[in-house]
Amino acid sequence: MISKNLIEYLLQENPEYSEIPIPPSEQEQFQLYRSLVNIRPAMPVSSDYIDAENKFLKDLTVKKGITDITDLQPIEDNIYLWQGDITTLKCGAIVNAANSGMTGCYQPCHSCIDNCIHTFAGVKLRLECAEIMQKQGYDEPTGQAKITSAYNLPCDYVIHTVGPIVHYRLTDKHCELLQNCYQSCLETAVKNNIDSIAFCCISTGVFGFPKQEASEIAVKTVREFIKNNNIKVIFNVFGDDDYEIYQRLFS
């Protein structure tokens, strides 16, 4: 159960929200908490809040159920296909499909992976991302990668990458940029001595990249990379259609 102290802290941070009543049901309380976290700017927070948030999020993830890579069966040498919630996956690193601002999704309770990862990691992830971007001084280019701590997620790290946006027809440039995303994440993982990485389906959501072509690029890039690098790779899918596409590619 969520601590009302967490919600009260978030409400009192901003006078605009201080009069919002805390709803009675646990589900409504979590929705309010998540909404406040999602819209919260990157800024410091008290140690008492962090302690309470850490306990709540870790307990919540345990309740959802943690899947360890060691319990998975490879579909190919050092390659795994797993359908589930990436925020419950215990492995070296998970990949976040970020936007160019790199500080998460600010839309309350949005279902995108960027929102989910920031929600269940905790507010310190946004702060670390903001510090990285402040030092960089410009928006994150498409196809590169940044690594952060995972905080309350069961993985060790989060690797963030900005995928290409396909508005109309798919071009060779889109495909090149998506390949760069996978390559950059893999290189970042190896550089940081990470022995396993889980990829979401980068750019295939609101960014509009066709799923079949995106999956083919992902598999080809990973297969080439692991020929010369010792790393385990999980293709994480959420929907049945994505799962079926990857199954066909490995059949």
Side-chain angles (χ1 to χ4, degrees):
M1 178 179 292
I2 187 169
S3 169
K4 290 185 179 180
N5 291 339
L6 288 176
I7 300 175
E8 289 170 351
Y9 182 96
L10 295 167
L11 289 172
Q12 291 168 6
E13 273 190 323
N14 192 325
E16 183 180 350
Y17 309 132
S18 60
E19 298 303 319
I20 295 176
I22 297 178
S25 77
E26 188 175 342
Q27 181 180 359
E28 290 174 317
Q29 288 175 14
F30 177 73
Q31 288 177 334
L32 176 57
Y33 159 78
R34 180 170 179 173
S35 298
L36 292 168
V37 164
N38 293 159
I39 64 177
R40 185 181 187 272
M43 59 184 183
V45 66
S46 76
S47 58
D48 287 343
Y49 175 90
I50 290 299
D51 290 343
E53 184 186 67
N54 289 349
K55 183 180 186 311
F56 168 65
L57 291 176
K58 288 182 185 298
D59 289 347
L60 181 60
T61 299
V62 169
K63 185 178 179 181
K64 288 193 295 181
I66 295 173
T67 298
D68 195 310
I69 185 175
T70 59
D71 295 326
L72 301 179
Q73 294 297 317
I75 196 168
E76 196 171 283
D77 286 349
N78 289 328
I79 297 179
Y80 302 75
L81 175 61
W82 180 70
Q83 185 175 17
D85 178 355
I86 200 170
T87 66
T88 65
L89 190 55
K90 182 176 176 57
C91 61
I94 63 171
V95 172
N96 178 30
N99 57 53
S100 60
M102 289 288 283
T103 57
C105 168
Y106 287 79
Q107 184 175 334
C109 296
H110 194 241
S111 60
C112 71
I113 192 169
D114 198 14
N115 187 296
C116 293
I117 286 175
H118 275 267
T119 296
F120 294 105
V123 297
K124 290 182 71 175
L125 178 57
R126 176 166 286 172
L127 183 58
E128 182 179 355
C129 289
E131 290 169 349
I132 291 172
M133 296 308 293
Q134 185 176 14
K135 290 178 182 177
Q136 178 165 288
Y138 52 87
D139 284 351
E140 180 72 358
T142 302
Q144 297 185 13
K146 293 286 189 294
I147 187 169
T148 65
S149 298
Y151 298 99
N152 293 296
L153 298 171
C155 57
D156 297 322
Y157 299 94
V158 179
I159 297 177
H160 310 257
T161 189
V162 180
I165 300 173
V166 181
H167 287 301
Y168 302 106
R169 68 179 183 87
L170 186 65
T171 66
D172 290 342
K173 185 62 176 178
H174 291 134
C175 296
E176 177 187 346
L177 288 170
L178 186 61
Q179 180 181 352
N180 290 346
C181 287
Y182 284 93
Q183 187 74 23
S184 297
C185 289
L186 290 164
E187 290 174 353
T188 298
V190 169
K191 181 180 178 181
N192 288 274
N193 299 312
I194 296 169
D195 61 4
S196 59
I197 183 172
F199 283 103
C200 60
C201 300
I202 302 169
S203 278
T204 60
V206 294
F207 279 19
F209 206 110
K211 293 183 176 184
Q212 180 67 39
E213 289 83 349
S215 304
E216 291 171 0
I217 291 168
V219 172
K220 180 180 179 181
T221 306
V222 165
R223 279 174 168 164
E224 286 297 317
F225 188 84
I226 64 175
K227 286 179 181 178
N228 302 306
N229 295 275
N230 185 24
I231 187 170
K232 295 180 173 66
V233 178
I234 304 168
F235 289 109
N236 164 245
V237 297
F238 195 75
D240 293 338
D241 53 345
D242 293 310
Y243 188 77
E244 290 167 3
I245 290 171
Y246 275 96
Q247 274 197 317
R248 287 197 298 269
L249 289 174
F250 285 109
S251 63

